[in-house]
Amino acid sequence: MYCRHKLFAVILSILSFTSLGAEPLPETKPLTRQGDLAAQMVEGIDKYLMRELAASVEKRKQYWKPDFSSTEAYTKSVQPNRERLKKILGVVDARVSPVVMEYIGEGTPSPLVAETDAYKIYSVRWPVLPGVDSEGLLLEPKGKVVAQVVALPDAEWTPEMLVGLAPGVAKESQYARRLAENDCRVVVPILIDRRDTWSGNPTLGRMTNQPHREFIYRMAYEMGRHVIGYEVQKVLAAVDWLCREKDHPPIGVFGYGEGGLLALYAAALDSRIQATVVSGYGGPCIASWQEPIYRNIFGLAREFGTAQLALLVMPRRLVCDCSKGPEISGPPAPRAGRGGAAPGRLAAGSRQENKHALYKELEEGREDLQKAARMARLEKPLLVSSESDWPGKAPTLSLFLSALLGKETEVKLSPESSLPDVRLALDPAARQQRLFDQLVGYTQKLMRDSERSRQHHFWAKLDTSSLEKYQKSCEPFRKQLWEEVIGKLPPPSLPMHPQSRQIYEEPKWKGYEVTLDLYPDVFAYGILLLPKDLSPGEKRPVVVCQHGLEGRPTDVCNPKERTKYYNSFGAQLADRGYIVYAPQNPYIGHDKFRVLQRKANPLGLSLFSFIVRQHERTLDWLATLPNVDAERMAFYGLSYGGKTAMRVPALLPRYCLSICSGDFNEWVRKNVSLDYPSSYMFSGEYEMPEFNLGHTFNYAEMAALIAPRPFMVERGHDDGVGIDEWVAYEYAKIRRLYSRLKIPERTEIEFFAGGHEIHGQGTFRFLQKHLKWPK
């Protein structure tokens, strides 16, 4: 019903424009653009991002300075790239050391699972991070071990499938078994699967259809970690164990599907891995936004494609097996009591299609890969196997073993036979839940500990001895928030070219639609309300009034439609004589705008990268208006507009004050916690997590960047976006800061009896006090 009301309001706006004529504001051109300007804004940003994704292939070169003069010089020259890859994958925590392999029985006293004439299979567990283990199978040859391999299955395969103990993988694709038959010690870890069995909190009655990988991804992403990074750590912990002896056999990694992805990243990060097979995964590409969200990596496309990851593997050997990948049509189907998963699919592709895509991805780095090959005296920079649609076939295994052993090696193929599993009580589901719960618990602890981290890295470095010193000490953090968390776009490339048309004629003010250009296809749009009693040369304050999720400027400005959320607060302020501007923010269109976040993240950007630049341009234009006091431009936003109130004024000091309504929160907990029913962990708002926000900026830290400017929180007791206790706890840090700065009068919080809405009482007084209007 509310959506229909908003659509009707848009239609009324168009009709009123027709009746009022097209007289523009002075110093602007007539606005002739028709249709839904909000939808056009989202489409324009989409076009910009698609161009930038395509351009990222060429732009990556600026991040790479490889030195091919020697292997040692090369390794040193790409180490900064490797460190940045570790950071965006979340491979930043120290692993448990030393790694002790635990042999475990599953319903039997013995850890022995099965035995052949050539090898034994054990059930094993090894530590990775505090409270986090990896589990799987160990295949131990009975004779001399010639090589050691971490064999990574796809997320839907169990280790038992990969060694022939359980159905599900064709015998000729059971590469873990085949490698053991060829005298390799093989460790087969379990991966987090794509089911949704435990994705939620049954105690709260909040379950989702998010794949387990997405559920962990969401909470980990906010904390600067990643489900991919966690599983790479598990691979590297296995490598730690395989390296326990000084003169150990060579180590390789062989992965398929999700396991192929992990194999590529693990090899790119760890030079102890001497040969790698990536099967059923073509590497990251500019279309990764179409894949499941648990493959979303902040800033990846900006610096790393398949060619760049191959460069990090060099001069070690990389085998690309162009077999079909997993076919994933989307997350588990929504059903009663379960929903909220992000869209995303994986296409298998034929071996010829995958081979063509691989060569296309590698073309951008062909010259550097060839230089690296010559440096390492290799005939080819990487080896390609495309003989089969399925992984683990003899030609691929032969390439892998030859690369690992440093000599041409033929694969021994033993007679195919099934292996009996002697375990009586193996429960793969219980084992999967155990590993899932460990990663959930580890990430929840990161959330609980993050306040101490922010205290050390943020608050301890602020100088509160004077306002001048304080503001100077804030600048590095403002830069960090903009460049590393939000993502900073270049300055606008187009003149603002303001265009306007009148859409409102009220007793006390007129209203105008306004557009301002930023980049090709990207523009800012909003509604300006100008009081009729402005005198020539008079300067008045501006209040920028921001709508929330799926909202429009008309929600804020239309005096004839007072919704229960906005109460036409922009129109109310214009009635009081303020100049009011209501911008359109691009969080509208449901998945259409959420996909913008998916496309922006690989570039190290976010939706707020555009919102910040749009507001910056808006302030540029407002400052040119003859009756605007550029020193008194304030911000007031509700809901997603409150989210804007925390981020944009923190980055744009020209906003002289900020009011956050219906959003202020213990924001990190709101995104990560599983103990709060309204946590974003349970919702369909999959764009909410911001990479590593949890260890850098909660709402108190953002407000600290607004200080010493006035800051206020408006909070309804019954507002479901949070709870009073969380809001008060986070706000107390701000109150303390303003007190230490000796400006306690510049910050306030108002609790009122009500819900998710503009109350407009204490906030209006706050505006009057600090903007000195009305007189």
Side-chain angles (χ1 to χ4, degrees):
M1 179 68 72
Y2 180 51
C3 290
R4 289 202 297 271
H5 284 329
K6 289 201 289 185
L7 179 59
F8 183 63
V10 174
I11 295 170
L12 279 180
S13 296
I14 296 171
L15 292 176
S16 64
F17 155 66
T18 304
S19 63
L20 289 172
E23 187 66 28
L25 286 164
E27 306 300 323
T28 69
K29 300 290 185 183
L31 176 58
T32 58
R33 190 193 298 258
Q34 299 298 321
D36 187 341
L37 298 190
Q40 292 171 33
M41 175 188 290
V42 171
E43 291 168 5
I45 293 173
D46 185 82
K47 291 177 182 177
Y48 179 97
L49 287 169
M50 291 303 291
R51 286 195 302 269
E52 287 300 304
L53 284 168
S56 68
V57 174
E58 182 64 27
K59 290 181 178 180
R60 288 172 194 153
K61 294 177 181 178
Q62 65 184 299
Y63 296 99
W64 292 82
K65 301 290 186 286
D67 181 348
F68 299 108
S69 61
S70 69
T71 301
E72 293 76 15
Y74 176 76
T75 301
K76 184 178 179 180
S77 70
V78 299
Q79 189 59 31
N81 304 90
R82 185 171 283 122
E83 293 301 321
R84 288 193 290 271
L85 181 62
K86 285 182 181 179
K87 182 177 179 179
I88 63 178
L89 290 175
V91 183
V92 295
D93 298 317
R95 293 189 296 278
V96 173
S97 181
V99 175
V100 177
M101 189 67 74
E102 180 184 359
Y103 293 74
I104 55 176
E106 296 276 0
T108 64
S110 170
L112 184 67
V113 172
E115 184 176 2
T116 73
D117 293 339
Y119 58 91
K120 294 181 179 181
I121 304 176
Y122 298 96
S123 179
V124 292
R125 176 189 300 130
W126 61 99
V128 182
L129 300 167
V132 175
D133 298 326
S134 187
E135 296 187 33
L137 298 177
L138 170 65
L139 284 66
E140 190 69 49
K142 292 182 176 179
K144 181 182 178 182
V145 176
V146 300
Q148 306 183 103
V149 179
V150 181
L152 296 160
D154 179 54
E156 289 306 304
W157 294 357
T158 65
E160 288 74 18
M161 294 177 186
L162 206 53
V163 301
L165 290 169
V169 176
K171 292 185 181 298
E172 58 270 23
S173 292
Q174 295 168 5
Y175 45 87
R177 174 179 63 84
R178 289 183 176 275
L179 288 165
E181 291 168 352
N182 283 269
D183 304 315
C184 294
R185 176 181 291 132
V186 183
V187 178
V188 191
I190 297 160
L191 302 191
I192 298 299
D193 67 23
R194 302 186 185 98
R195 293 176 176 84
D196 65 1
T197 311
W198 305 291
S199 295
N201 185 337
T203 303
L204 299 178
R206 296 307 306 270
M207 300 302 291
T208 78
N209 69 325
Q210 296 171 38
H212 294 142
R213 300 187 71 80
E214 177 181 344
F215 196 72
I216 292 170
Y217 155 85
R218 285 201 190 188
M219 64 179 78
Y221 196 82
E222 184 84 1
M223 303 310 304
R225 306 299 188 272
H226 205 291
V227 64
I228 292 173
Y230 284 149
E231 294 193 321
V232 167
Q233 290 275 44
K234 293 187 176 190
V235 175
L236 300 186
V239 173
D240 293 340
W241 180 75
L242 294 173
C243 290
R244 67 195 184 282
E245 296 176 358
K246 183 178 179 181
D247 297 319
H248 59 78
I251 296 171
V253 178
F254 192 128
Y256 170 73
E258 223 63 48
L261 174 151
L262 296 173
L264 181 57
Y265 285 125
L269 295 182
D270 198 324
S271 60
R272 296 175 299 174
I273 298 170
Q274 290 158 275
T276 303
V277 174
V278 177
S279 179
Y281 173 67
C285 65
I286 60 174
S288 62
W289 57 270
Q290 297 175 313
E291 296 179 344
I293 197 169
Y294 49 77
R295 289 188 174 187
N296 179 50
I297 300 172
F298 192 74
L300 183 70
R302 181 171 56 187
E303 186 170 353
F304 302 98
T306 306
Q308 286 72 34
L309 293 175
L311 280 172
L312 290 181
V313 177
M314 295 290 287
R316 296 162 290 133
R317 301 319 311 267
L318 176 62
V319 180
C320 294
D321 180 10
C322 299
S323 60
K324 285 184 175 180
E327 186 87 35
I328 307 296
S329 60
R335 52 207 186 275
R338 285 186 181 265
R345 58 185 177 82
L346 295 175
S350 69
R351 67 178 184 273
Q352 291 304 322
E353 290 171 335
N354 294 338
K355 183 177 181 179
H356 174 76
L358 173 66
Y359 281 127
K360 183 179 179 181
E361 284 291 316
L362 293 175
E363 181 60 29
E364 58 161 312
R366 180 173 55 86
E367 185 177 340
D368 281 347
L369 286 169
Q370 289 174 342
K371 288 179 181 178
R374 288 194 294 270
M375 173 196 70
R377 297 185 175 86
L378 299 174
E379 183 180 343
K380 297 179 180 178
L382 70 163
L383 305 168
V384 177
S385 175
S386 57
E387 284 78 10
S388 173
D389 279 339
W390 307 108
K393 292 297 185 73
T396 303
L397 289 171
S398 180
L399 284 174
F400 175 56
L401 288 175
S402 298
L404 192 54
L405 300 176
K407 61 181 181 180
E408 190 169 335
T409 304
E410 289 295 324
V411 177
K412 296 181 293 185
L413 298 177
S414 63
E416 296 179 358
S417 59
S418 59
L419 291 173
D421 190 331
V422 301
R423 292 172 292 183
L424 303 177
L426 173 65
D427 185 349
R431 183 178 61 182
Q432 175 74 211
Q433 184 179 13
R434 185 162 60 239
L435 298 177
F436 172 84
D437 286 345
Q438 286 179 354
L439 290 179
V440 169
Y442 184 84
T443 311
Q444 294 296 305
K445 186 175 187 303
L446 285 177
M447 175 198 69
R448 294 191 297 272
D449 293 346
S450 65
E451 185 167 4
R452 183 166 62 248
S453 175
R454 295 191 302 273
Q455 174 65 37
H456 176 71
H457 293 291
F458 181 87
W459 293 101
K461 297 178 181 179
L462 296 179
D463 186 344
T464 58
S465 61
S466 72
L467 291 183
E468 182 181 0
K469 290 180 179 179
Y470 175 78
Q471 290 176 85
K472 185 176 180 180
S473 67
C474 282
E475 287 311 307
F477 296 107
R478 201 183 320 279
K479 184 175 186 289
Q480 180 188 17
L481 176 60
W482 199 343
E483 295 181 0
E484 297 180 23
V485 180
I486 299 294
K488 191 172 186 177
L489 285 167
S493 60
L494 297 178
M496 66 175 72
H497 189 225
Q499 301 178 61
S500 68
R501 64 187 169 211
Q502 187 177 353
I503 62 166
Y504 293 124
E505 182 73 47
E506 295 298 318
K508 293 185 178 181
W509 47 267
K510 295 181 179 181
Y512 298 84
E513 283 189 305
V514 179
T515 63
L516 305 165
D517 290 339
L518 281 84
Y519 312 97
D521 300 310
V522 179
F523 62 94
Y525 157 61
I527 295 176
L528 177 71
L529 308 184
L530 282 177
K532 290 181 176 179
D533 63 349
L534 286 166
S535 303
E538 180 188 6
K539 298 288 187 179
R540 287 196 193 174
V542 178
V543 183
V544 174
C545 298
Q546 189 65 66
H547 64 78
L549 180 66
E550 298 294 338
R552 296 176 182 271
T554 50
D555 297 327
V556 170
C557 297
N558 191 342
K560 296 178 176 61
E561 185 182 285
R562 287 203 173 191
T563 69
K564 65 177 181 178
Y565 304 112
Y566 296 105
N567 292 315
S568 297
F569 73 108
Q572 289 192 60
L573 290 169
D575 284 341
R576 294 176 179 229
Y578 290 97
I579 298 172
V580 170
Y581 189 81
Q584 175 71 62
N585 273 3
Y587 37 73
I588 187 168
H590 304 285
D591 270 352
K592 287 185 178 179
F593 90 80
R594 293 191 168 98
V595 168
L596 297 182
Q597 188 87 324
R598 290 295 315 274
K599 293 179 179 180
N601 275 184
L603 295 167
L605 299 172
S606 67
L607 197 63
F608 271 94
S609 302
F610 293 90
I611 293 171
V612 172
R613 286 299 191 193
Q614 287 172 322
H615 277 259
E616 183 181 52
R617 175 125 290 189
T618 297
L619 293 175
D620 289 341
W621 178 71
L622 287 172
T624 69
L625 300 185
N627 292 111
V628 165
D629 184 347
E631 300 300 316
R632 291 186 293 167
M633 296 190 290
F635 190 95
Y636 186 177
L638 171 70
S639 192
Y640 227 119
K643 183 177 164 78
T644 309
M646 299 309 303
R647 288 157 181 79
V648 173
L651 298 178
L652 301 182
R654 281 190 293 172
Y655 275 121
C656 70
L657 67 75
S658 183
I659 299 174
C660 177
S661 178
D663 186 73
F664 190 86
N665 223 316
E666 218 280 25
W667 185 256
V668 174
R669 191 173 294 271
K670 166 83 171 177
N671 274 273
V672 180
S673 173
L674 300 181
D675 298 322
Y676 177 56
S678 294
S679 168
Y680 287 122
M681 283 299 303
F682 308 126
S683 81
E685 294 167 278
Y686 56 82
E687 84 286 358
M688 283 297 179
E690 297 160 279
F691 187 69
N692 203 29
L693 192 74
H695 283 107
T696 52
F697 299 94
N698 206 342
Y699 271 11
E701 287 77 23
M702 293 183 197
L705 297 182
I706 295 172
R709 292 165 286 158
F711 173 74
M712 183 173 181
V713 172
E714 184 177 47
R715 161 74 191 171
H717 288 305
D718 300 322
D719 190 341
V721 302
I723 56 176
D724 288 350
E725 292 83 351
W726 284 9
V727 174
Y729 177 81
E730 191 70 5
Y731 178 75
K733 304 171 194 176
I734 302 164
R735 175 84 79 181
R736 180 174 59 212
L737 171 66
Y738 276 71
S739 178
R740 287 176 176 170
L741 291 172
K742 299 180 174 56
I743 49 171
E745 72 283 355
R746 295 189 190 178
T747 186
E748 296 180 25
I749 187 168
E750 181 190 38
F751 291 94
F752 64 91
H756 191 64
E757 61 184 298
I758 293 289
H759 187 50
Q761 299 297 315
T763 52
F764 281 18
R765 291 191 295 271
F766 190 78
L767 289 170
Q768 181 176 10
K769 173 182 176 181
H770 293 286
L771 297 181
K772 297 178 173 54
W773 185 270
K775 295 179 181 179

